[in-house]
Protein backbone atom coordinates (compact mmCIF):
# COMPACT_ATOMS: atom_id res chain seq x y z
CA UNK A 1 0.00 0.00 0.00
CA UNK A 2 1.44 3.43 -0.89
CA UNK A 3 2.03 5.96 1.85
CA UNK A 4 -1.24 7.72 2.66
CA UNK A 5 -2.21 10.48 5.10
CA UNK A 6 -4.17 9.24 8.11
CA UNK A 7 -7.37 10.79 6.76
CA UNK A 8 -7.20 8.47 3.70
CA UNK A 9 -6.49 5.22 5.54
CA UNK A 10 -9.39 2.73 5.73
CA UNK A 11 -11.43 3.03 8.94
CA UNK A 12 -12.14 0.08 11.20
CA UNK A 13 -14.99 -0.34 13.66
CA UNK A 14 -14.18 -3.96 14.49
CA UNK A 15 -11.02 -3.71 16.60
CA UNK A 16 -10.61 -6.75 18.84
CA UNK A 17 -7.86 -5.48 21.12
CA UNK A 18 -5.23 -7.81 19.68
CA UNK A 19 -4.12 -5.34 16.96
CA UNK A 20 -0.47 -4.29 17.14
CA UNK A 21 0.60 -0.66 17.55
CA UNK A 22 4.01 0.98 17.72
CA UNK A 23 4.98 2.63 21.02
CA UNK A 24 8.13 4.70 21.60
CA UNK A 25 9.08 4.71 25.29
CA UNK A 26 12.29 6.21 26.67
CA UNK A 27 13.78 6.17 23.17
CA UNK A 28 12.96 2.50 22.58
CA UNK A 29 10.46 1.50 19.88
CA UNK A 30 8.21 -1.41 20.85
CA UNK A 31 5.14 -3.18 19.53
CA UNK A 32 2.14 -3.47 21.85
CA UNK A 33 -1.39 -4.73 21.51
CA UNK A 34 -4.30 -2.31 21.61
CA UNK A 35 -5.50 -3.84 24.90
CA UNK A 36 -2.15 -3.37 26.63
CA UNK A 37 -1.86 0.18 25.26
CA UNK A 38 -5.29 1.13 26.61
CA UNK A 39 -4.46 -0.44 29.97
CA UNK A 40 -1.24 1.55 30.23
CA UNK A 41 -3.08 4.76 29.45
CA UNK A 42 -5.71 4.22 32.13
CA UNK A 43 -3.47 2.77 34.87
CA UNK A 44 -2.51 4.68 37.99
CA UNK A 45 0.82 6.46 37.71
CA UNK A 46 3.25 8.38 39.85
CA UNK A 47 3.57 12.15 39.69
CA UNK A 48 6.19 12.84 42.36
CA UNK A 49 8.49 10.95 44.72
CA UNK A 50 10.61 12.71 47.33
CA UNK A 51 14.27 11.61 47.31
CA UNK A 52 15.49 12.99 50.64
CA UNK A 53 14.31 13.93 54.11
CA UNK A 54 12.77 17.37 54.48
CA UNK A 55 14.29 20.03 56.72
CA UNK A 56 12.93 19.50 60.26
CA UNK A 57 10.27 21.98 61.38
CA UNK A 58 11.58 22.52 64.90
CA UNK A 59 11.89 25.19 67.59
CA UNK A 60 9.65 27.56 65.61
CA UNK A 61 6.04 28.70 65.39
CA UNK A 62 6.40 29.61 61.71
CA UNK A 63 4.32 27.63 59.22
CA UNK A 64 6.92 25.64 57.27
CA UNK A 65 6.91 23.10 54.44
CA UNK A 66 7.10 19.38 55.19
CA UNK A 67 8.31 18.57 51.68
CA UNK A 68 11.68 18.36 49.98
CA UNK A 69 12.98 17.85 46.47
CA UNK A 70 12.47 14.73 44.41
CA UNK A 71 11.69 13.33 40.98
CA UNK A 72 8.57 14.21 39.01
CA UNK A 73 6.38 17.16 39.82
CA UNK A 74 3.96 18.43 42.47
CA UNK A 75 2.36 20.80 39.93
CA UNK A 76 -0.59 20.47 37.56
CA UNK A 77 -0.55 23.06 34.74
CA UNK A 78 -3.43 25.47 34.17
CA UNK A 79 -6.55 23.87 32.65
CA UNK A 80 -5.14 20.33 32.95
CA UNK A 81 -7.53 19.08 35.64
CA UNK A 82 -10.60 17.14 34.48
CA UNK A 83 -13.77 16.34 36.40
CA UNK A 84 -13.28 12.98 38.10
CA UNK A 85 -9.50 13.22 38.40
CA UNK A 86 -8.34 11.63 41.66
CA UNK A 87 -5.00 11.80 43.47
CA UNK A 88 -3.39 10.26 46.55
CA UNK A 89 -0.37 11.45 48.53
CA UNK A 90 1.38 9.48 51.26
CA UNK A 91 3.89 10.97 53.70
CA UNK A 92 5.90 9.31 56.47
CA UNK A 93 8.55 10.65 58.79
CA UNK A 94 9.70 11.27 62.35
CA UNK A 95 8.23 13.45 65.06
CA UNK A 96 8.92 14.65 68.60
CA UNK A 97 6.62 16.84 70.66
CA UNK A 98 6.07 18.42 74.05
CA UNK A 99 2.98 17.10 75.83
CA UNK A 100 -0.05 19.41 75.33
CA UNK A 101 1.61 21.63 72.71
CA UNK A 102 -0.27 21.70 69.39
CA UNK A 103 0.65 20.86 65.82
CA UNK A 104 -1.32 21.96 62.75
CA UNK A 105 -0.94 20.41 59.28
CA UNK A 106 -2.27 22.24 56.22
CA UNK A 107 -2.60 21.00 52.64
CA UNK A 108 -2.60 23.80 50.06
CA UNK A 109 -2.50 24.44 46.32
CA UNK A 110 -1.75 27.80 44.71
CA UNK A 111 -2.47 29.52 48.04
CA UNK A 112 -5.86 27.83 48.50
CA UNK A 113 -6.24 25.67 51.61
CA UNK A 114 -7.57 22.26 50.58
CA UNK A 115 -7.54 20.66 54.03
CA UNK A 116 -6.50 21.54 57.58
CA UNK A 117 -6.11 19.21 60.55
CA UNK A 118 -6.76 22.07 62.95
CA UNK A 119 -4.64 22.41 66.08
CA UNK A 120 -3.82 18.87 67.23
CA UNK A 121 -3.17 18.60 70.97
CA UNK A 122 -0.02 16.48 71.03
CA UNK A 123 1.03 13.80 73.45
CA UNK A 124 4.60 13.47 74.65
CA UNK A 125 6.60 12.05 71.76
CA UNK A 126 10.32 11.29 71.45
CA UNK A 127 11.51 10.57 67.91
CA UNK A 128 8.57 8.41 66.89
CA UNK A 129 7.01 7.67 63.50
CA UNK A 130 4.16 9.53 61.78
CA UNK A 131 2.19 8.93 58.61
CA UNK A 132 -0.33 10.92 56.62
CA UNK A 133 -2.61 9.79 53.79
CA UNK A 134 -4.46 12.42 51.72
CA UNK A 135 -6.98 11.82 48.92
CA UNK A 136 -8.18 14.40 46.39
CA UNK A 137 -11.06 14.35 43.90
CA UNK A 138 -11.84 17.03 41.30
CA UNK A 139 -15.60 17.64 41.36
CA UNK A 140 -15.71 20.68 39.04
CA UNK A 141 -13.25 22.70 36.97
CA UNK A 142 -13.03 26.41 36.31
CA UNK A 143 -12.12 29.63 38.06
CA UNK A 144 -12.42 30.20 41.81
CA UNK A 145 -16.06 29.92 42.82
CA UNK A 146 -16.75 27.39 40.06
CA UNK A 147 -14.03 24.77 40.56
CA UNK A 148 -14.42 22.28 43.39
CA UNK A 149 -12.04 19.80 45.02
CA UNK A 150 -12.81 17.36 47.83
CA UNK A 151 -9.93 16.46 50.14
CA UNK A 152 -9.83 13.92 52.94
CA UNK A 153 -7.40 11.78 54.86
CA UNK A 154 -5.78 11.12 58.19
CA UNK A 155 -2.69 12.02 60.22
CA UNK A 156 -1.32 9.35 62.55
CA UNK A 157 1.59 9.32 64.97
CA UNK A 158 3.01 6.97 67.61
CA UNK A 159 2.88 8.18 71.21
CA UNK A 160 5.51 7.45 73.86
CA UNK A 161 2.84 6.01 76.18
CA UNK A 162 2.72 2.24 75.53
CA UNK A 163 3.64 2.85 71.90
CA UNK A 164 0.00 3.50 71.00
CA UNK A 165 -1.04 5.49 67.95
CA UNK A 166 -3.22 8.57 67.71
CA UNK A 167 -5.26 9.26 64.56
CA UNK A 168 -6.72 12.54 63.35
CA UNK A 169 -9.16 12.40 60.43
CA UNK A 170 -10.13 15.29 58.18
CA UNK A 171 -12.44 15.86 55.21
CA UNK A 172 -13.48 19.03 53.42
CA UNK A 173 -14.49 20.52 50.07
CA UNK A 174 -13.11 23.74 48.64
CA UNK A 175 -15.48 25.29 46.08
CA UNK A 176 -14.61 28.92 46.78
CA UNK A 177 -10.86 29.55 46.34
CA UNK A 178 -9.67 26.51 44.36
CA UNK A 179 -8.94 27.46 40.73
CA UNK A 180 -8.09 25.03 37.91
CA UNK A 181 -7.41 27.78 35.35
CA UNK A 182 -4.03 28.46 36.96
CA UNK A 183 -1.00 26.32 37.75
CA UNK A 184 -1.58 24.32 40.95
CA UNK A 185 1.35 23.15 43.08
CA UNK A 186 0.78 20.93 46.11
CA UNK A 187 2.13 22.32 49.40
CA UNK A 188 1.98 20.60 52.80
CA UNK A 189 3.02 22.54 55.90
CA UNK A 190 3.41 22.09 59.64
CA UNK A 191 3.07 24.70 62.40
CA UNK A 192 3.77 24.35 66.13
CA UNK A 193 2.03 26.35 68.86
CA UNK A 194 5.28 26.81 70.79
CA UNK A 195 8.89 27.15 69.71
CA UNK A 196 10.71 24.35 71.51
CA UNK A 197 13.63 22.09 70.60
CA UNK A 198 11.37 19.24 71.76
CA UNK A 199 8.87 20.05 68.96
CA UNK A 200 10.14 18.65 65.68
CA UNK A 201 8.66 17.02 62.58
CA UNK A 202 10.04 16.11 59.16
CA UNK A 203 9.18 13.75 56.30
CA UNK A 204 11.30 10.90 54.95
CA UNK A 205 8.89 9.91 52.19
CA UNK A 206 6.36 11.79 50.09
CA UNK A 207 4.79 10.05 47.10
CA UNK A 208 2.05 11.60 44.95
CA UNK A 209 0.13 9.42 42.48
CA UNK A 210 -2.82 9.91 40.15
CA UNK A 211 -5.35 7.20 40.92
CA UNK A 212 -8.05 7.96 38.33
Amino acid sequence: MPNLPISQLPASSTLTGAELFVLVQNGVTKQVTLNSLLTSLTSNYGLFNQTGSSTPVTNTTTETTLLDGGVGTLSVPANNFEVGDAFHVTLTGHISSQNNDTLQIRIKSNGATLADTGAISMSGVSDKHWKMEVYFTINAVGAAGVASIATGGNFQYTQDAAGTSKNINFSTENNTTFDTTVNNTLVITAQWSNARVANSIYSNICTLVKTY
Side-chain angles (χ1 to χ4, degrees):
M1 177 183 291
N3 293 330
L4 295 173
I6 291 176
S7 61
Q8 295 181 21
L9 290 175
S12 174
S13 59
T14 58
L15 296 177
T16 66
E19 293 80 11
L20 291 175
F21 287 79
V22 172
L23 174 68
V24 179
Q25 189 174 42
N26 296 325
V28 178
T29 302
K30 309 173 183 179
Q31 63 177 21
V32 297
T33 65
L34 175 61
N35 279 341
S36 63
L37 180 61
L38 292 176
T39 298
S40 68
L41 291 174
T42 57
S43 295
N44 302 348
Y45 59 89
L47 296 176
F48 174 81
N49 190 42
Q50 187 169 295
T51 54
S53 296
S54 66
T55 301
V57 183
T58 184
N59 198 24
T60 180
T61 59
T62 301
E63 182 182 2
T64 307
T65 183
L66 274 172
L67 307 181
D68 206 282
V71 294
T73 181
L74 290 166
S75 298
V76 175
N79 300 309
N80 268 38
F81 281 118
E82 294 183 1
V83 173
D85 282 350
F87 305 86
H88 174 214
V89 63
T90 301
L91 294 92
T92 65
H94 288 80
I95 187 170
S96 298
S97 65
Q98 178 71 37
N99 189 44
N100 292 327
D101 279 357
T102 68
L103 172 67
Q104 189 163 1
I105 308 292
R106 298 179 178 91
I107 299 100
K108 300 181 177 182
S109 183
N110 191 43
T113 298
L114 307 183
D116 188 335
T117 63
I120 304 166
S121 182
M122 299 295 295
S123 306
V125 177
S126 301
D127 194 28
K128 293 294 193 294
H129 302 290
W130 67 272
K131 181 180 181 180
M132 186 163 70
E133 305 267 1
V134 188
Y135 300 87
F136 311 89
T137 296
I138 304 298
N139 292 334
V141 296
V146 176
S148 176
I149 183 171
T151 306
N154 74 289
F155 174 79
Q156 172 185 323
Y157 70 93
T158 303
Q159 306 171 98
D160 283 348
T164 56
S165 294
K166 185 174 182 180
N167 288 278
I168 295 87
N169 297 312
F170 53 89
S171 180
T172 187
E173 182 177 5
N174 184 325
N175 54 15
T176 55
T177 59
F178 179 60
D179 186 347
T180 66
T181 67
V182 298
N183 182 76
N184 275 270
T185 300
L186 181 66
V187 176
I188 301 177
T189 66
Q191 186 171 19
W192 294 101
S193 60
N194 289 298
R196 306 181 196 270
V197 174
N199 290 335
S200 177
I201 183 172
Y202 65 92
S203 66
N204 299 114
I205 296 172
C206 173
T207 302
L208 175 65
V209 298
K210 189 175 188 297
T211 56
Y212 192 86

